[in-house]
Amino acid sequence: DVKVTQSSRYLVKRTGEKVFLECVQDMDHENMFWYRQDPGLGLRLIYFSYDVKMKEKGDIPEGYSVSREKKERFSLILESASTNQTSMYLCASDGRVGAFFGQGTRLTVV
Amino acid sequence: QKEVEQNSGPLSVPEGAIASLNCTYSDRGSQSFFWYRQYSGKSPELIMSIYSNGDKEDGRFTAQLNKASQYVSLLIRDSQPSDSATYLCAVNRSGGNKLVFGAGTILRVKS
């Protein structure tokens, strides 16, 4: 079974902090994604990566950056956290037969 | 127009009935289509994928694809209370690997 692991289940951060969300997959997938999920808005793509050091902006990249130094690891960075970034963040890994999700990180920015 | 549209529901069906969930998409060049199930407080779980026109069956689930009408559906036969969840439709944008999701349909199966 594919395993996608996110570093934290719950996080509380202060406004202005730099926040790192980590994601690791164990299936050698090329594609990895970061989504946020908010009530009524569904899953929105923030960034995705199709190879090491390769990334593309999704639909809502503002205020976020990403890093993919190794194939198995994809990090989401909130440069300066704001309250409107309070959300559920979901990492996914895609082996071209559908994406598999991590358990999610519920981030609260206070 | 949203790229992937679903009726938000809730769709209520009695136990044992067929639940029919629908999804339309706007990118005519899309080639890959997926259904996910998401229980409250959990992350989405892939349940079906379909790539060509017609039906694809897996146990109690049947995915149907009509590319001409840009329409994907999921049928759940013999619905059980444990099927109560939000069902998300996802589509690969043409020319790339970006997965776009609909907002999801809430399904409630009443015993």
Side-chain angles (χ1 to χ4, degrees), chain A residues 9 31 33 35 37 40-43 45 48 50 56-57 59 90 94 96-104, chain B residues 2-3 32 34 36 38 41-46 49 51 88 92-93 96-104:
Chain A
R9 188 76 175 92
N31 298 330
F33 305 83
Y35 294 89
Q37 187 173 32
L41 297 177
L43 279 159
L45 181 63
F48 91 103
Y50 51 92
E56 278 195 30
K57 292 180 180 179
D59 299 316
L90 289 158
D94 182 8
R96 315 244 174 164
V97 291
F100 298 89
F101 284 85
Q103 77 274 30
Chain B
K2 292 182 180 178
E3 284 194 67
S32 305
F34 307 94
Y36 289 79
Q38 187 174 24
K42 302 292 186 181
S43 55
E45 172 193 11
L46 179 65
S49 60
Y51 306 99
L88 301 167
N92 259 114
R93 282 179 185 159
N97 295 314
K98 294 182 186 178
L99 256 184
V100 181
F101 284 81

mmCIF file of all heavy atoms in Angstrom, chain A residues 9 31 33 35 37 40-43 45 48 50 56-57 59 90 94 96-104, chain B residues 2-3 32 34 36 38 41-46 49 51 88 92-93 96-104:
data_model
loop_
_atom_site.group_PDB
_atom_site.id
_atom_site.type_symbol
_atom_site.label_atom_id
_atom_site.label_comp_id
_atom_site.label_asym_id
_atom_site.label_seq_id
_atom_site.Cartn_x
_atom_site.Cartn_y
_atom_site.Cartn_z
ATOM 1 N N ARG A 9 -0.227 16.406 12.629
ATOM 2 C CA ARG A 9 -1.678 16.281 12.469
ATOM 3 C C ARG A 9 -2.366 17.615 12.795
ATOM 4 O O ARG A 9 -3.315 17.989 12.145
ATOM 5 C CB ARG A 9 -2.187 15.179 13.401
ATOM 6 C CG ARG A 9 -3.641 14.824 13.200
ATOM 7 C CD ARG A 9 -3.842 13.985 11.958
ATOM 8 N NE ARG A 9 -5.223 13.546 11.821
ATOM 9 C CZ ARG A 9 -6.142 14.235 11.130
ATOM 10 N NH1 ARG A 9 -5.816 15.359 10.528
ATOM 11 N NH2 ARG A 9 -7.373 13.770 11.045
ATOM 12 N N ASN A 31 4.867 12.564 -9.087
ATOM 13 C CA ASN A 31 4.016 13.727 -8.824
ATOM 14 C C ASN A 31 3.608 13.805 -7.359
ATOM 15 O O ASN A 31 3.166 12.811 -6.773
ATOM 16 C CB ASN A 31 2.739 13.654 -9.666
ATOM 17 C CG ASN A 31 3.023 13.682 -11.151
ATOM 18 O OD1 ASN A 31 4.005 14.266 -11.585
ATOM 19 N ND2 ASN A 31 2.169 13.049 -11.921
ATOM 20 N N PHE A 33 1.533 16.685 -4.576
ATOM 21 C CA PHE A 33 0.652 17.848 -4.560
ATOM 22 C C PHE A 33 0.468 18.367 -3.145
ATOM 23 O O PHE A 33 0.482 17.581 -2.186
ATOM 24 C CB PHE A 33 -0.749 17.466 -5.080
ATOM 25 C CG PHE A 33 -0.769 16.829 -6.437
ATOM 26 C CD1 PHE A 33 -0.536 15.474 -6.585
ATOM 27 C CD2 PHE A 33 -1.050 17.574 -7.560
ATOM 28 C CE1 PHE A 33 -0.577 14.871 -7.837
ATOM 29 C CE2 PHE A 33 -1.097 16.985 -8.816
ATOM 30 C CZ PHE A 33 -0.863 15.637 -8.948
ATOM 31 N N TYR A 35 -2.671 20.531 -1.319
ATOM 32 C CA TYR A 35 -3.997 21.128 -1.397
ATOM 33 C C TYR A 35 -4.338 21.732 -0.040
ATOM 34 O O TYR A 35 -3.846 21.306 0.985
ATOM 35 C CB TYR A 35 -5.064 20.078 -1.704
ATOM 36 C CG TYR A 35 -4.978 19.429 -3.059
ATOM 37 C CD1 TYR A 35 -4.209 18.286 -3.265
ATOM 38 C CD2 TYR A 35 -5.694 19.935 -4.142
ATOM 39 C CE1 TYR A 35 -4.149 17.676 -4.502
ATOM 40 C CE2 TYR A 35 -5.635 19.327 -5.398
ATOM 41 C CZ TYR A 35 -4.864 18.202 -5.559
ATOM 42 O OH TYR A 35 -4.816 17.589 -6.794
ATOM 43 N N GLN A 37 -8.064 22.473 2.093
ATOM 44 C CA GLN A 37 -9.486 22.158 2.041
ATOM 45 C C GLN A 37 -10.226 23.014 3.045
ATOM 46 O O GLN A 37 -9.920 22.985 4.245
ATOM 47 C CB GLN A 37 -9.730 20.674 2.324
ATOM 48 C CG GLN A 37 -11.177 20.256 2.116
ATOM 49 C CD GLN A 37 -11.365 18.763 2.225
ATOM 50 O OE1 GLN A 37 -10.673 18.088 2.982
ATOM 51 N NE2 GLN A 37 -12.303 18.221 1.457
ATOM 52 N N GLY A 40 -17.088 24.312 2.040
ATOM 53 C CA GLY A 40 -17.765 24.986 0.936
ATOM 54 C C GLY A 40 -16.895 25.282 -0.263
ATOM 55 O O GLY A 40 -17.400 25.618 -1.333
ATOM 56 N N LEU A 41 -15.574 25.165 -0.104
ATOM 57 C CA LEU A 41 -14.663 25.485 -1.212
ATOM 58 C C LEU A 41 -13.985 24.251 -1.774
ATOM 59 O O LEU A 41 -13.335 24.307 -2.823
ATOM 60 C CB LEU A 41 -13.597 26.483 -0.746
ATOM 61 C CG LEU A 41 -14.115 27.848 -0.309
ATOM 62 C CD1 LEU A 41 -12.968 28.711 0.208
ATOM 63 C CD2 LEU A 41 -14.828 28.550 -1.466
ATOM 64 N N GLY A 42 -14.107 23.142 -1.105
ATOM 65 C CA GLY A 42 -13.514 21.912 -1.608
ATOM 66 C C GLY A 42 -11.999 21.923 -1.512
ATOM 67 O O GLY A 42 -11.396 22.697 -0.759
ATOM 68 N N LEU A 43 -11.380 21.065 -2.297
ATOM 69 C CA LEU A 43 -9.920 20.949 -2.344
ATOM 70 C C LEU A 43 -9.364 21.903 -3.399
ATOM 71 O O LEU A 43 -9.744 21.830 -4.564
ATOM 72 C CB LEU A 43 -9.526 19.521 -2.717
ATOM 73 C CG LEU A 43 -9.544 18.493 -1.606
ATOM 74 C CD1 LEU A 43 -9.654 17.099 -2.181
ATOM 75 C CD2 LEU A 43 -8.266 18.609 -0.788
ATOM 76 N N LEU A 45 -5.851 23.398 -5.230
ATOM 77 C CA LEU A 45 -4.450 23.062 -5.442
ATOM 78 C C LEU A 45 -3.568 24.280 -5.189
ATOM 79 O O LEU A 45 -3.756 25.338 -5.807
ATOM 80 C CB LEU A 45 -4.259 22.549 -6.872
ATOM 81 C CG LEU A 45 -2.854 22.133 -7.262
ATOM 82 C CD1 LEU A 45 -2.366 20.959 -6.415
ATOM 83 C CD2 LEU A 45 -2.802 21.770 -8.750
ATOM 84 N N PHE A 48 2.135 21.931 -7.135
ATOM 85 C CA PHE A 48 2.486 20.545 -7.314
ATOM 86 C C PHE A 48 3.883 20.422 -7.899
ATOM 87 O O PHE A 48 4.450 21.384 -8.436
ATOM 88 C CB PHE A 48 1.415 19.804 -8.126
ATOM 89 C CG PHE A 48 1.623 19.795 -9.608
ATOM 90 C CD1 PHE A 48 2.117 18.663 -10.239
ATOM 91 C CD2 PHE A 48 1.284 20.890 -10.378
ATOM 92 C CE1 PHE A 48 2.275 18.633 -11.607
ATOM 93 C CE2 PHE A 48 1.445 20.870 -11.741
ATOM 94 C CZ PHE A 48 1.945 19.742 -12.361
ATOM 95 N N TYR A 50 6.423 17.699 -10.241
ATOM 96 C CA TYR A 50 6.433 16.526 -11.108
ATOM 97 C C TYR A 50 7.802 15.858 -11.152
ATOM 98 O O TYR A 50 7.996 14.875 -11.880
ATOM 99 C CB TYR A 50 5.942 16.883 -12.517
ATOM 100 C CG TYR A 50 6.635 18.062 -13.135
ATOM 101 C CD1 TYR A 50 7.762 17.890 -13.930
ATOM 102 C CD2 TYR A 50 6.163 19.353 -12.930
ATOM 103 C CE1 TYR A 50 8.401 18.967 -14.506
ATOM 104 C CE2 TYR A 50 6.795 20.439 -13.497
ATOM 105 C CZ TYR A 50 7.914 20.242 -14.287
ATOM 106 O OH TYR A 50 8.546 21.326 -14.842
ATOM 107 N N GLU A 56 5.237 23.490 -10.011
ATOM 108 C CA GLU A 56 4.332 24.366 -10.746
ATOM 109 C C GLU A 56 3.313 24.945 -9.786
ATOM 110 O O GLU A 56 2.873 24.261 -8.851
ATOM 111 C CB GLU A 56 3.577 23.594 -11.837
ATOM 112 C CG GLU A 56 4.367 23.413 -13.113
ATOM 113 C CD GLU A 56 3.496 22.977 -14.273
ATOM 114 O OE1 GLU A 56 2.303 23.333 -14.292
ATOM 115 O OE2 GLU A 56 4.015 22.261 -15.152
ATOM 116 N N LYS A 57 2.914 26.166 -10.041
ATOM 117 C CA LYS A 57 1.889 26.789 -9.218
ATOM 118 C C LYS A 57 0.543 26.145 -9.510
ATOM 119 O O LYS A 57 0.239 25.777 -10.641
ATOM 120 C CB LYS A 57 1.813 28.285 -9.518
ATOM 121 C CG LYS A 57 3.040 29.055 -9.078
ATOM 122 C CD LYS A 57 2.894 30.527 -9.403
ATOM 123 C CE LYS A 57 4.127 31.297 -8.948
ATOM 124 N NZ LYS A 57 4.021 32.743 -9.266
ATOM 125 N N ASP A 59 -3.697 26.674 -8.182
ATOM 126 C CA ASP A 59 -4.699 27.726 -8.318
ATOM 127 C C ASP A 59 -4.574 28.830 -7.272
ATOM 128 O O ASP A 59 -5.030 29.944 -7.496
ATOM 129 C CB ASP A 59 -6.102 27.105 -8.253
ATOM 130 C CG ASP A 59 -6.329 26.118 -9.381
ATOM 131 O OD1 ASP A 59 -5.958 26.439 -10.529
ATOM 132 O OD2 ASP A 59 -6.850 25.022 -9.120
ATOM 133 N N LEU A 90 -3.606 19.200 2.842
ATOM 134 C CA LEU A 90 -3.510 17.804 2.433
ATOM 135 C C LEU A 90 -2.419 17.646 1.386
ATOM 136 O O LEU A 90 -2.410 18.334 0.375
ATOM 137 C CB LEU A 90 -4.840 17.322 1.858
ATOM 138 C CG LEU A 90 -5.962 17.149 2.882
ATOM 139 C CD1 LEU A 90 -7.313 17.203 2.208
ATOM 140 C CD2 LEU A 90 -5.796 15.846 3.637
ATOM 141 N N ASP A 94 1.009 10.927 -6.483
ATOM 142 C CA ASP A 94 0.270 10.396 -7.621
ATOM 143 C C ASP A 94 1.141 9.479 -8.456
ATOM 144 O O ASP A 94 2.171 9.890 -8.979
ATOM 145 C CB ASP A 94 -0.214 11.566 -8.488
ATOM 146 C CG ASP A 94 -1.029 11.101 -9.682
ATOM 147 O OD1 ASP A 94 -1.353 9.906 -9.754
ATOM 148 O OD2 ASP A 94 -1.336 11.951 -10.531
ATOM 149 N N ARG A 96 -0.023 8.081 -11.217
ATOM 150 C CA ARG A 96 -0.723 8.105 -12.506
ATOM 151 C C ARG A 96 -1.930 7.168 -12.553
ATOM 152 O O ARG A 96 -2.505 6.957 -13.610
ATOM 153 C CB ARG A 96 0.205 7.794 -13.677
ATOM 154 C CG ARG A 96 1.513 8.512 -13.645
ATOM 155 C CD ARG A 96 1.670 9.448 -14.780
ATOM 156 N NE ARG A 96 2.894 10.225 -14.617
ATOM 157 C CZ ARG A 96 3.461 10.910 -15.577
ATOM 158 N NH1 ARG A 96 2.922 10.905 -16.761
ATOM 159 N NH2 ARG A 96 4.549 11.598 -15.351
ATOM 160 N N VAL A 97 -2.268 6.598 -11.425
ATOM 161 C CA VAL A 97 -3.510 5.815 -11.354
ATOM 162 C C VAL A 97 -4.410 6.386 -10.270
ATOM 163 O O VAL A 97 -5.275 5.712 -9.741
ATOM 164 C CB VAL A 97 -3.220 4.323 -11.093
ATOM 165 C CG1 VAL A 97 -2.558 3.689 -12.294
ATOM 166 C CG2 VAL A 97 -2.387 4.143 -9.839
ATOM 167 N N GLY A 98 -4.162 7.642 -9.941
ATOM 168 C CA GLY A 98 -4.936 8.296 -8.903
ATOM 169 C C GLY A 98 -4.038 8.719 -7.760
ATOM 170 O O GLY A 98 -3.028 8.085 -7.497
ATOM 171 N N ALA A 99 -4.409 9.775 -7.105
ATOM 172 C CA ALA A 99 -3.590 10.331 -6.024
ATOM 173 C C ALA A 99 -3.959 9.708 -4.689
ATOM 174 O O ALA A 99 -5.116 9.365 -4.436
ATOM 175 C CB ALA A 99 -3.766 11.845 -5.963
ATOM 176 N N PHE A 100 -2.943 9.561 -3.839
ATOM 177 C CA PHE A 100 -3.117 9.029 -2.491
ATOM 178 C C PHE A 100 -2.746 10.126 -1.510
ATOM 179 O O PHE A 100 -1.707 10.769 -1.657
ATOM 180 C CB PHE A 100 -2.238 7.796 -2.304
ATOM 181 C CG PHE A 100 -2.599 6.683 -3.246
ATOM 182 C CD1 PHE A 100 -2.013 6.605 -4.498
ATOM 183 C CD2 PHE A 100 -3.544 5.736 -2.888
ATOM 184 C CE1 PHE A 100 -2.357 5.592 -5.385
ATOM 185 C CE2 PHE A 100 -3.888 4.718 -3.763
ATOM 186 C CZ PHE A 100 -3.297 4.652 -5.023
ATOM 187 N N PHE A 101 -3.591 10.299 -0.507
ATOM 188 C CA PHE A 101 -3.448 11.425 0.402
ATOM 189 C C PHE A 101 -2.814 11.038 1.722
ATOM 190 O O PHE A 101 -2.990 9.906 2.216
ATOM 191 C CB PHE A 101 -4.818 12.046 0.683
ATOM 192 C CG PHE A 101 -5.346 12.875 -0.449
ATOM 193 C CD1 PHE A 101 -6.033 12.279 -1.491
ATOM 194 C CD2 PHE A 101 -5.143 14.244 -0.471
ATOM 195 C CE1 PHE A 101 -6.515 13.038 -2.550
ATOM 196 C CE2 PHE A 101 -5.622 15.015 -1.515
ATOM 197 C CZ PHE A 101 -6.308 14.412 -2.555
ATOM 198 N N GLY A 102 -2.124 12.004 2.302
ATOM 199 C CA GLY A 102 -1.700 11.895 3.685
ATOM 200 C C GLY A 102 -2.875 12.149 4.604
ATOM 201 O O GLY A 102 -3.997 12.412 4.155
ATOM 202 N N GLN A 103 -2.608 12.109 5.907
ATOM 203 C CA GLN A 103 -3.692 12.196 6.888
ATOM 204 C C GLN A 103 -4.169 13.626 7.096
ATOM 205 O O GLN A 103 -5.193 13.860 7.736
ATOM 206 C CB GLN A 103 -3.251 11.569 8.222
ATOM 207 C CG GLN A 103 -2.317 12.449 9.052
ATOM 208 C CD GLN A 103 -0.860 12.292 8.674
ATOM 209 O OE1 GLN A 103 -0.502 12.004 7.516
ATOM 210 N NE2 GLN A 103 0.028 12.501 9.646
ATOM 211 N N GLY A 104 -3.444 14.591 6.548
ATOM 212 C CA GLY A 104 -3.846 15.990 6.675
ATOM 213 C C GLY A 104 -3.218 16.680 7.870
ATOM 214 O O GLY A 104 -2.936 16.037 8.896
ATOM 215 N N LYS B 2 -17.163 26.495 -12.906
ATOM 216 C CA LYS B 2 -16.138 25.717 -12.227
ATOM 217 C C LYS B 2 -15.650 24.609 -13.143
ATOM 218 O O LYS B 2 -16.390 24.082 -13.959
ATOM 219 C CB LYS B 2 -16.717 25.119 -10.943
ATOM 220 C CG LYS B 2 -17.049 26.153 -9.890
ATOM 221 C CD LYS B 2 -17.579 25.485 -8.637
ATOM 222 C CE LYS B 2 -17.913 26.509 -7.581
ATOM 223 N NZ LYS B 2 -18.487 25.875 -6.375
ATOM 224 N N GLU B 3 -14.374 24.222 -12.952
ATOM 225 C CA GLU B 3 -13.818 23.160 -13.783
ATOM 226 C C GLU B 3 -14.507 21.827 -13.547
ATOM 227 O O GLU B 3 -14.699 21.047 -14.468
ATOM 228 C CB GLU B 3 -12.332 23.020 -13.502
ATOM 229 C CG GLU B 3 -11.500 24.108 -14.138
ATOM 230 C CD GLU B 3 -10.038 23.758 -14.134
ATOM 231 O OE1 GLU B 3 -9.644 22.798 -14.828
ATOM 232 O OE2 GLU B 3 -9.292 24.438 -13.419
ATOM 233 N N SER B 32 -8.382 11.511 -17.534
ATOM 234 C CA SER B 32 -8.421 10.634 -16.364
ATOM 235 C C SER B 32 -9.410 11.194 -15.359
ATOM 236 O O SER B 32 -9.411 12.393 -15.105
ATOM 237 C CB SER B 32 -7.036 10.536 -15.716
ATOM 238 O OG SER B 32 -6.067 10.121 -16.647
ATOM 239 N N PHE B 34 -11.563 10.382 -11.522
ATOM 240 C CA PHE B 34 -11.449 9.626 -10.272
ATOM 241 C C PHE B 34 -12.594 9.983 -9.340
ATOM 242 O O PHE B 34 -13.102 11.101 -9.350
ATOM 243 C CB PHE B 34 -10.114 9.965 -9.587
ATOM 244 C CG PHE B 34 -8.906 9.784 -10.485
ATOM 245 C CD1 PHE B 34 -8.408 10.849 -11.203
ATOM 246 C CD2 PHE B 34 -8.293 8.548 -10.587
ATOM 247 C CE1 PHE B 34 -7.304 10.696 -12.040
ATOM 248 C CE2 PHE B 34 -7.188 8.379 -11.407
ATOM 249 C CZ PHE B 34 -6.699 9.448 -12.136
ATOM 250 N N TYR B 36 -13.358 9.865 -5.168
ATOM 251 C CA TYR B 36 -12.799 9.713 -3.833
ATOM 252 C C TYR B 36 -13.933 9.738 -2.821
ATOM 253 O O TYR B 36 -14.944 10.428 -3.003
ATOM 254 C CB TYR B 36 -11.837 10.861 -3.513
ATOM 255 C CG TYR B 36 -10.532 10.804 -4.275
ATOM 256 C CD1 TYR B 36 -10.456 11.223 -5.599
ATOM 257 C CD2 TYR B 36 -9.372 10.323 -3.675
ATOM 258 C CE1 TYR B 36 -9.262 11.160 -6.301
ATOM 259 C CE2 TYR B 36 -8.174 10.266 -4.364
ATOM 260 C CZ TYR B 36 -8.131 10.682 -5.686
ATOM 261 O OH TYR B 36 -6.954 10.611 -6.368
ATOM 262 N N GLN B 38 -14.606 10.625 1.254
ATOM 263 C CA GLN B 38 -14.002 11.298 2.393
ATOM 264 C C GLN B 38 -14.968 11.254 3.569
ATOM 265 O O GLN B 38 -16.046 11.854 3.531
ATOM 266 C CB GLN B 38 -13.639 12.751 2.057
ATOM 267 C CG GLN B 38 -12.861 13.443 3.161
ATOM 268 C CD GLN B 38 -12.390 14.827 2.771
ATOM 269 O OE1 GLN B 38 -12.956 15.485 1.900
ATOM 270 N NE2 GLN B 38 -11.330 15.309 3.424
ATOM 271 N N GLY B 41 -13.589 14.371 8.951
ATOM 272 C CA GLY B 41 -12.346 14.431 9.721
ATOM 273 C C GLY B 41 -11.212 13.600 9.173
ATOM 274 O O GLY B 41 -10.130 13.559 9.759
ATOM 275 N N LYS B 42 -11.459 12.944 8.036
ATOM 276 C CA LYS B 42 -10.425 12.098 7.426
ATOM 277 C C LYS B 42 -10.011 12.666 6.087
ATOM 278 O O LYS B 42 -10.649 13.551 5.546
ATOM 279 C CB LYS B 42 -10.962 10.673 7.235
ATOM 280 C CG LYS B 42 -11.434 10.004 8.510
ATOM 281 C CD LYS B 42 -10.276 9.705 9.436
ATOM 282 C CE LYS B 42 -10.741 8.897 10.633
ATOM 283 N NZ LYS B 42 -9.627 8.621 11.569
ATOM 284 N N SER B 43 -8.938 12.119 5.531
ATOM 285 C CA SER B 43 -8.489 12.569 4.214
ATOM 286 C C SER B 43 -9.186 11.756 3.118
ATOM 287 O O SER B 43 -9.709 10.667 3.382
ATOM 288 C CB SER B 43 -6.969 12.453 4.113
ATOM 289 O OG SER B 43 -6.544 11.151 4.400
ATOM 290 N N PRO B 44 -9.213 12.266 1.897
ATOM 291 C CA PRO B 44 -9.886 11.542 0.802
ATOM 292 C C PRO B 44 -9.204 10.214 0.495
ATOM 293 O O PRO B 44 -7.985 10.094 0.562
ATOM 294 C CB PRO B 44 -9.751 12.513 -0.381
ATOM 295 C CG PRO B 44 -9.535 13.848 0.228
ATOM 296 C CD PRO B 44 -8.747 13.605 1.466
ATOM 297 N N GLU B 45 -10.031 9.245 0.108
ATOM 298 C CA GLU B 45 -9.572 7.896 -0.207
ATOM 299 C C GLU B 45 -10.026 7.563 -1.617
ATOM 300 O O GLU B 45 -11.222 7.668 -1.933
ATOM 301 C CB GLU B 45 -10.177 6.923 0.799
ATOM 302 C CG GLU B 45 -9.964 5.468 0.501
ATOM 303 C CD GLU B 45 -10.860 4.587 1.362
ATOM 304 O OE1 GLU B 45 -11.777 5.093 2.021
ATOM 305 O OE2 GLU B 45 -10.633 3.365 1.347
ATOM 306 N N LEU B 46 -9.103 7.159 -2.474
ATOM 307 C CA LEU B 46 -9.434 6.809 -3.853
ATOM 308 C C LEU B 46 -10.275 5.535 -3.889
ATOM 309 O O LEU B 46 -9.881 4.516 -3.310
ATOM 310 C CB LEU B 46 -8.143 6.605 -4.645
ATOM 311 C CG LEU B 46 -8.290 6.196 -6.111
ATOM 312 C CD1 LEU B 46 -8.952 7.298 -6.920
ATOM 313 C CD2 LEU B 46 -6.921 5.859 -6.695
ATOM 314 N N SER B 49 -11.298 4.728 -10.490
ATOM 315 C CA SER B 49 -10.722 5.509 -11.567
ATOM 316 C C SER B 49 -11.341 5.038 -12.877
ATOM 317 O O SER B 49 -11.720 3.875 -13.001
ATOM 318 C CB SER B 49 -9.200 5.335 -11.607
ATOM 319 O OG SER B 49 -8.865 3.972 -11.802
ATOM 320 N N TYR B 51 -11.043 5.818 -17.356
ATOM 321 C CA TYR B 51 -10.281 6.522 -18.365
ATOM 322 C C TYR B 51 -10.953 6.516 -19.742
ATOM 323 O O TYR B 51 -10.613 7.318 -20.603
ATOM 324 C CB TYR B 51 -8.885 5.901 -18.509
ATOM 325 C CG TYR B 51 -8.134 5.828 -17.201
ATOM 326 C CD1 TYR B 51 -8.086 4.644 -16.476
ATOM 327 C CD2 TYR B 51 -7.492 6.943 -16.680
ATOM 328 C CE1 TYR B 51 -7.407 4.570 -15.268
ATOM 329 C CE2 TYR B 51 -6.810 6.875 -15.470
ATOM 330 C CZ TYR B 51 -6.778 5.686 -14.776
ATOM 331 O OH TYR B 51 -6.110 5.620 -13.578
ATOM 332 N N LEU B 88 -16.000 12.892 -3.676
ATOM 333 C CA LEU B 88 -15.319 13.912 -4.467
ATOM 334 C C LEU B 88 -15.003 13.369 -5.853
ATOM 335 O O LEU B 88 -14.457 12.273 -5.987
ATOM 336 C CB LEU B 88 -14.002 14.319 -3.794
ATOM 337 C CG LEU B 88 -14.097 14.873 -2.373
ATOM 338 C CD1 LEU B 88 -12.722 14.931 -1.732
ATOM 339 C CD2 LEU B 88 -14.716 16.255 -2.393
ATOM 340 N N ASN B 92 -8.125 14.958 -14.202
ATOM 341 C CA ASN B 92 -6.796 15.425 -14.607
ATOM 342 C C ASN B 92 -6.941 16.466 -15.706
ATOM 343 O O ASN B 92 -7.564 16.201 -16.737
ATOM 344 C CB ASN B 92 -5.953 14.279 -15.172
ATOM 345 C CG ASN B 92 -4.965 13.755 -14.170
ATOM 346 O OD1 ASN B 92 -5.053 12.639 -13.740
ATOM 347 N ND2 ASN B 92 -4.036 14.596 -13.797
ATOM 348 N N ARG B 93 -6.351 17.655 -15.505
ATOM 349 C CA ARG B 93 -6.378 18.647 -16.562
ATOM 350 C C ARG B 93 -5.583 18.144 -17.753
ATOM 351 O O ARG B 93 -4.536 17.522 -17.593
ATOM 352 C CB ARG B 93 -5.741 19.954 -16.079
ATOM 353 C CG ARG B 93 -6.630 20.777 -15.201
ATOM 354 C CD ARG B 93 -5.902 22.025 -14.759
ATOM 355 N NE ARG B 93 -6.685 22.792 -13.829
ATOM 356 C CZ ARG B 93 -6.170 23.680 -12.985
ATOM 357 N NH1 ARG B 93 -4.872 23.896 -12.962
ATOM 358 N NH2 ARG B 93 -6.950 24.350 -12.173
ATOM 359 N N GLY B 96 -1.346 17.965 -18.656
ATOM 360 C CA GLY B 96 -0.529 18.001 -17.443
ATOM 361 C C GLY B 96 -0.978 16.968 -16.441
ATOM 362 O O GLY B 96 -1.794 16.105 -16.747
ATOM 363 N N ASN B 97 -0.438 17.065 -15.274
ATOM 364 C CA ASN B 97 -0.771 16.096 -14.240
ATOM 365 C C ASN B 97 -1.537 16.710 -13.091
ATOM 366 O O ASN B 97 -1.619 16.123 -12.019
ATOM 367 C CB ASN B 97 0.508 15.456 -13.712
ATOM 368 C CG ASN B 97 1.191 14.637 -14.779
ATOM 369 O OD1 ASN B 97 0.554 13.871 -15.475
ATOM 370 N ND2 ASN B 97 2.485 14.822 -14.926
ATOM 371 N N LYS B 98 -2.104 17.877 -13.277
ATOM 372 C CA LYS B 98 -2.812 18.536 -12.188
ATOM 373 C C LYS B 98 -4.176 17.903 -11.999
ATOM 374 O O LYS B 98 -4.960 17.792 -12.924
ATOM 375 C CB LYS B 98 -2.987 20.021 -12.494
ATOM 376 C CG LYS B 98 -1.696 20.796 -12.538
ATOM 377 C CD LYS B 98 -1.961 22.270 -12.788
ATOM 378 C CE LYS B 98 -0.661 23.035 -12.982
ATOM 379 N NZ LYS B 98 -0.900 24.450 -13.263
ATOM 380 N N LEU B 99 -4.440 17.500 -10.776
ATOM 381 C CA LEU B 99 -5.739 16.952 -10.413
ATOM 382 C C LEU B 99 -6.625 18.063 -9.885
ATOM 383 O O LEU B 99 -6.250 18.741 -8.929
ATOM 384 C CB LEU B 99 -5.569 15.900 -9.321
ATOM 385 C CG LEU B 99 -5.656 14.436 -9.666
ATOM 386 C CD1 LEU B 99 -5.561 13.601 -8.414
ATOM 387 C CD2 LEU B 99 -6.903 14.099 -10.457
ATOM 388 N N VAL B 100 -7.793 18.206 -10.470
ATOM 389 C CA VAL B 100 -8.740 19.228 -10.015
ATOM 390 C C VAL B 100 -9.943 18.526 -9.412
ATOM 391 O O VAL B 100 -10.471 17.574 -9.989
ATOM 392 C CB VAL B 100 -9.194 20.132 -11.177
ATOM 393 C CG1 VAL B 100 -10.161 21.184 -10.675
ATOM 394 C CG2 VAL B 100 -7.992 20.769 -11.843
ATOM 395 N N PHE B 101 -10.376 19.009 -8.260
ATOM 396 C CA PHE B 101 -11.467 18.368 -7.526
ATOM 397 C C PHE B 101 -12.736 19.202 -7.582
ATOM 398 O O PHE B 101 -12.685 20.436 -7.588
ATOM 399 C CB PHE B 101 -11.075 18.188 -6.059
ATOM 400 C CG PHE B 101 -10.115 17.069 -5.824
ATOM 401 C CD1 PHE B 101 -8.759 17.236 -6.048
ATOM 402 C CD2 PHE B 101 -10.573 15.830 -5.385
ATOM 403 C CE1 PHE B 101 -7.872 16.193 -5.838
ATOM 404 C CE2 PHE B 101 -9.689 14.789 -5.171
ATOM 405 C CZ PHE B 101 -8.343 14.971 -5.408
ATOM 406 N N GLY B 102 -13.866 18.499 -7.595
ATOM 407 C CA GLY B 102 -15.125 19.150 -7.316
ATOM 408 C C GLY B 102 -15.260 19.382 -5.819
ATOM 409 O O GLY B 102 -14.448 18.879 -5.018
ATOM 410 N N ALA B 103 -16.283 20.129 -5.433
ATOM 411 C CA ALA B 103 -16.477 20.455 -4.021
ATOM 412 C C ALA B 103 -17.051 19.289 -3.222
ATOM 413 O O ALA B 103 -17.045 19.324 -1.992
ATOM 414 C CB ALA B 103 -17.365 21.683 -3.880
ATOM 415 N N GLY B 104 -17.562 18.266 -3.935
ATOM 416 C CA GLY B 104 -18.025 17.074 -3.251
ATOM 417 C C GLY B 104 -19.531 17.032 -3.050
ATOM 418 O O GLY B 104 -20.190 18.072 -2.962
#
